[in-house]
Amino acid sequence: AQSVTQLGSHVSVSEGALVLLRCNYSSSVPPYLFWYVQYPNQGLQLLLKYTSAATLVKGINGFEAEFKKSETSFHLTKPSAHMSDAAEYFCAVSPTDSWGKLQFGAGTQVVVTP
Amino acid sequence: DTEVTQTPKHLVMGMTNKKSLKCEQHMGHRAMYWYKQKAKKPPELMFVYSYEKLSINESVPSRFSPECPNSSLLNLHLHALQPEDSALYLCASSRIAGNEQFFGPGTRLTVL
């Protein structure tokens, strides 16, 4: 079974500093990978996706993620944090042997300080 | 139209009530999903419909009954719920099962 692990349930960054959120997956076959963001009392918004094309994926709001097969990682970064980036971030994997079963990580709460 | 809509936004119901949640998308997606999300937790998959047929039921209690009347609509019928069923219920859709999913804003359900 495929799974995804997010390192760090809470991350605090200063406004203007680098945002780095870590995600590792376990799978013998590279799955599809996604990052979602959830603002308070809202649904999830897709930030970006990896579907076996380019390993460096650019998303919305200045975020990007790099797929590293050797490290089974898909870390999310943003060069300069903005106050509006404060939210919950979920990494998710779509197993290739069970289409439709999006497996989420536990989530990382990002706090941005002035 | 590039969004998933859900109604109602909030719902309060007693344990003997019958209510329904509604989800709609007009993106031509052929896969639709129901998730349950408790506070500070990731969404948990409940049901997947693919081409209007139920393809995945994650062992959800029968007090939750999904329905997909057509390719744009997804309902979740609720009956005899328990207080522990209180949560945010999210609907999502994707072009086909396995593609990226687009989520609605959710229905905040409180069971008294």
Side-chain angles (χ1 to χ4, degrees), chain A residues 36 38 43-44 49 99 101 105, chain B residues 37 42 58 98 100-101 103-104:
Chain A
Y36 284 89
Q38 187 175 31
L44 278 70
K49 63 181 180 184
W99 291 119
K101 278 197 174 188
Chain B
Q37 187 180 28
E58 289 288 86
E100 64 267 31
Q101 296 178 24
F103 284 79

Side-chain angles (χ1 to χ4, degrees), chain B residues 17-61:
Chain B
N17 291 158
K18 282 186 182 181
K19 296 287 184 183
S20 297
L21 309 185
K22 181 179 171 183
C23 173
E24 198 163 1
Q25 57 87 15
H26 295 287
M27 295 180 277
H29 290 176
R30 303 311 299 272
M32 296 186 76
Y33 313 78
W34 279 115
Y35 288 88
K36 173 183 177 180
Q37 187 180 28
K38 300 285 263 185
K40 308 291 185 191
K41 297 288 187 186
E44 298 172 22
L45 182 66
M46 299 174 73
F47 303 103
V48 180
Y49 274 83
S50 181
Y51 292 88
E52 295 98 73
K53 286 186 170 32
L54 182 65
S55 62
I56 296 176
N57 176 343
E58 289 288 86
S59 303
V60 178

Side-chain angles (χ1 to χ4, degrees), chain A residues 32 34 36 38 41-46 49 51 88 90 94 98-102 104-107 109, chain B residues 9 33 35 37 40-43 45 48 56 58 88 90 97-106 108:
Chain A
Y32 289 178
F34 308 90
Y36 284 89
Q38 187 175 31
N41 299 312
Q42 293 188 27
L44 278 70
Q45 182 181 14
L46 180 67
K49 63 181 180 184
T51 56
E88 186 86 22
F90 293 101
S94 184
S98 186
W99 291 119
K101 278 197 174 188
L102 203 58
F104 287 93
Q109 180 74 44
Chain B
K9 221 173 153 54
Y33 313 78
Y35 288 88
Q37 187 180 28
K40 308 291 185 191
K41 297 288 187 186
L45 182 66
V48 180
I56 296 176
E58 289 288 86
L88 181 67
L90 294 164
N99 282 180
E100 64 267 31
Q101 296 178 24
F102 295 87
F103 284 79
R108 176 74 59 188

Side-chain angles (χ1 to χ4, degrees), chain A:
Chain A
Q2 293 166 333
S3 65
V4 59
T5 302
Q6 289 183 242
L7 293 175
S9 58
H10 285 84
V11 167
S12 182
V13 297
S14 300
E15 193 175 16
L18 171 73
V19 180
L20 170 60
L21 304 183
R22 300 179 188 274
C23 173
N24 288 88
Y25 68 91
S26 66
S27 171
S28 57
V29 176
Y32 289 178
L33 292 156
F34 308 90
W35 275 100
Y36 284 89
V37 62
Q38 187 175 31
Y39 299 99
N41 299 312
Q42 293 188 27
L44 278 70
Q45 182 181 14
L46 180 67
L47 279 177
L48 47 79
K49 63 181 180 184
Y50 168 77
T51 56
S52 73
T55 56
L56 184 61
V57 181
K58 292 192 185 299
I60 62 171
N61 302 342
F63 283 94
E64 64 180 37
E66 187 172 9
F67 173 74
K68 290 187 176 180
K69 184 178 177 182
S70 60
E71 298 176 9
T72 60
S73 68
F74 190 55
H75 301 331
L76 181 72
T77 60
K78 181 173 179 177
S80 177
H82 192 271
M83 297 299 288
S84 61
D85 294 325
E88 186 86 22
Y89 292 78
F90 293 101
C91 182
V93 59
S94 184
T96 54
D97 60 351
S98 186
W99 291 119
K101 278 197 174 188
L102 203 58
Q103 182 73 40
F104 287 93
T108 298
Q109 180 74 44
V110 171
V111 174
V112 182
T113 56

